[in-house]
C-alpha cells in the first residue's frame, strides 16, 4: 500500500485571527458608509433649512410702504395701507388689483406690471407689486419717479434745486452744493415724490435734506415732520 500524505492540523489560532481581522474590516467599511450617509443627510437637511429660511424671508411683507429698486431698474413695491374702514375683503382686493394689472398689461404693456400677493391682517392691507422699470411704475400708479443718471435727469427736466447732504457709512455728513451734486453727469440718481421707504441698489452717497432719514447704507425713509401723508416733496437720492 502507498503511503498516505500526512495531514497537519490547521493552526486554529491563526485562522481565528484572520476571521476576526476580516470582520473588523467589514465593520469599519460599514461604519464609513454610514458616516458618509449621515454627512450627506445632514448636508441635505442644511440645504432644505436654508432654502426654507430664504423663501420665508423673501415672502414676508415690509412693515411700512417700501420701494425696493434692483440694479437692473426693476422695482418691487410693498404697499401697506389702513384697512379698518374698508367695505371689501382680501379676496375682493386681490381680484380688483389683478383686474387693474390685466387691463394695463393688455394695453400694450405685456409683462411690465405684475401682481404678486396680498394679505389683510390686523386691519392693515399688504400688497406686493413688481414693475419692470420706473416708467411702468409711473404710468400704472401716477406717482412721480425717476431712476437713471444725473445727466439723464437733467435732460428729463430736473434742476436739483434743493439742499443736500453727503452720506457715508449710513449717516448724513456735510452739506454739499447743487454744483457738487450735478457736476458729474454719470452719478446714479433716484428722484421720487412719496412718503415711504426707499431701498437703493447700492450704498447712498448723497441725499436731499428735507424729510429724509437714513436707515441703512442703502435705505432711506421719507416722511413729513407733521405726519401728513397727503403732503409730499421731491426727494433726490444719489447712490454708488
Amino acid at each position: 500500500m502507498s503511503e498516505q500524505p500526512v495531514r497537519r492540523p490547521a493552526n486554529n489560532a491563526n485562522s481565528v485571527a484572520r476571521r476576526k481581522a476580516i470582520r473588523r474590516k467589514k465593520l469599519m467599511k460599514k461604519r464609513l458608509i454610514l458616516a458618509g450617509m449621515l454627512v450627506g443627510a445632514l448636508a441635505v437637511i442644511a440645504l432644505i433649512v436654508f432654502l426654507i429660511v430664504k423663501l420665508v424671508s423673501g415672502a414676508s411683507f415690509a412693515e411700512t410702504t417700501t420701494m425696493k429698486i434692483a440694479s437692473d431698474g426693476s422695482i418691487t413695491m410693498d404697499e401697506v395701507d389702513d384697512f379698518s374702514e374698508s367695505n371689501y375683503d382680501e379676496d375682493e382686493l386681490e381680484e380688483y388689483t389683478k383686474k387693474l394689472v390685466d387691463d394695463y398689461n393688455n394695453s400694450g404693456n405685456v409683462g411690465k406690471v405684475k401682481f404678486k400677493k396680498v394679505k389683510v391682517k390686523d386691519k392693515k392691507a399688504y400688497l406686493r407689486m413688481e414693475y419692470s422699470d420706473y416708467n411702468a411704475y409711473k404710468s400704472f400708479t401716477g406717482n412721480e419717479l425717476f431712476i437713471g443718471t444725473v445727466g439723464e435727469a437733467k435732460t428729463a427736466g430736473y434742476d436739483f434745486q434743493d439742499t443736500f447732504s453727503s452720506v457715508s457709512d449710513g449717516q448724513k455728513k456735510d452739506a454739499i452744493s447743487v454744483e457738487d451734486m450735478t457736476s458729474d453727469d454719470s452719478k446714479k440718481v433716484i428722484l421720487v415724490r412719496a412718503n415711504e421707504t426707499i431701498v437703493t441698489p447700492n450704498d447712498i452717497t448723497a441725499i436731499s435734506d428735507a424729510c429724509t432719514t437714513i436707515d441703512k447704507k442703502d435705505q432711506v425713509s421719507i416722511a413729513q415732520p407733521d405726519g401728513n401723508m397727503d403732503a409730499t416733496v421731491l426727494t433726490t437720492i444719489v447712490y454708488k
Side-chain angles (χ1 to χ4, degrees):
M1 291 180 64
S2 61
E3 292 184 3
Q4 296 293 327
V6 178
R7 295 177 179 264
R8 291 186 173 88
N11 190 327
N12 290 333
N14 290 339
S15 179
V16 170
R18 282 197 300 272
R19 288 197 296 271
K20 286 183 177 179
I22 291 170
R23 284 199 297 269
R24 280 198 298 269
K25 287 181 181 180
K26 288 182 177 179
L27 183 60
M28 287 297 295
K29 187 175 181 180
K30 287 181 179 179
R31 286 176 178 174
L32 288 173
I33 291 172
L34 289 173
M37 291 173 64
L38 180 60
V39 170
L42 290 174
V44 171
I45 292 170
L47 177 61
I48 292 171
V49 171
F50 170 77
L51 292 174
I52 290 173
V53 170
K54 187 175 181 180
L55 179 64
V56 171
S57 62
S60 60
F61 285 99
E63 290 300 316
T64 59
T65 297
T66 300
M67 176 187 293
K68 186 175 183 179
I69 301 167
S71 57
D72 64 357
S74 61
I75 298 163
T76 299
M77 188 78 192
D78 277 6
E79 297 183 44
V80 184
D81 293 306
D82 178 53
F83 208 68
S84 59
E85 299 181 6
S86 296
N87 54 7
Y88 52 95
D89 60 18
E90 181 178 307
D91 291 338
E92 291 172 318
L93 176 60
E94 179 174 343
E95 182 180 354
Y96 173 74
T97 306
K98 284 182 175 179
K99 185 180 186 309
L100 290 178
V101 172
D102 288 342
D103 289 345
Y104 178 83
N105 286 333
N106 291 335
S107 300
N109 304 295
V110 178
K112 293 196 173 184
V113 177
K114 295 179 182 178
F115 165 85
K116 299 305 292 182
K117 60 180 182 175
V118 66
K119 178 179 73 173
V120 174
K121 183 180 180 181
D122 299 331
K123 298 181 179 180
K124 287 185 178 182
Y126 300 83
L127 174 66
R128 177 168 295 173
M129 302 285 290
E130 289 184 355
Y131 303 90
S132 60
D133 53 36
Y134 78 92
N135 282 313
Y137 172 85
K138 281 177 61 178
S139 60
F140 184 79
T141 67
N143 298 330
E144 186 171 4
L145 176 66
F146 176 87
I147 303 171
T149 65
V150 168
E152 291 167 341
K154 290 177 184 177
T155 301
Y158 292 100
D159 59 12
F160 297 95
Q161 296 304 311
D162 208 341
T163 57
F164 301 96
S165 291
S166 62
V167 177
S168 62
D169 297 324
Q171 293 183 336
K172 288 184 181 181
K173 300 294 185 179
D174 300 330
I176 54 177
S177 66
V178 173
E179 290 73 20
D180 288 338
M181 267 287 301
T182 58
S183 60
D184 184 354
D185 283 349
S186 67
K187 288 179 180 177
K188 298 175 183 178
V189 66
I190 299 165
L191 296 108
V192 59
R193 190 182 296 275
N195 296 308
E196 57 196 32
T197 298
I198 308 294
V199 181
T200 61
N202 215 323
D203 292 358
I204 299 168
T205 59
I207 190 77
S208 299
D209 276 328
C211 307
T212 58
T213 302
I214 303 296
D215 303 321
K216 301 177 183 178
K217 291 180 179 181
D218 62 349
Q219 180 175 308
V220 56
S221 293
I222 308 168
Q224 303 304 306
D226 60 1
N228 184 358
M229 294 298 293
D230 295 325
T232 56
V233 298
L234 184 66
T235 299
T236 302
I237 307 166
V238 181
Y239 63 97
K240 291 181 180 179

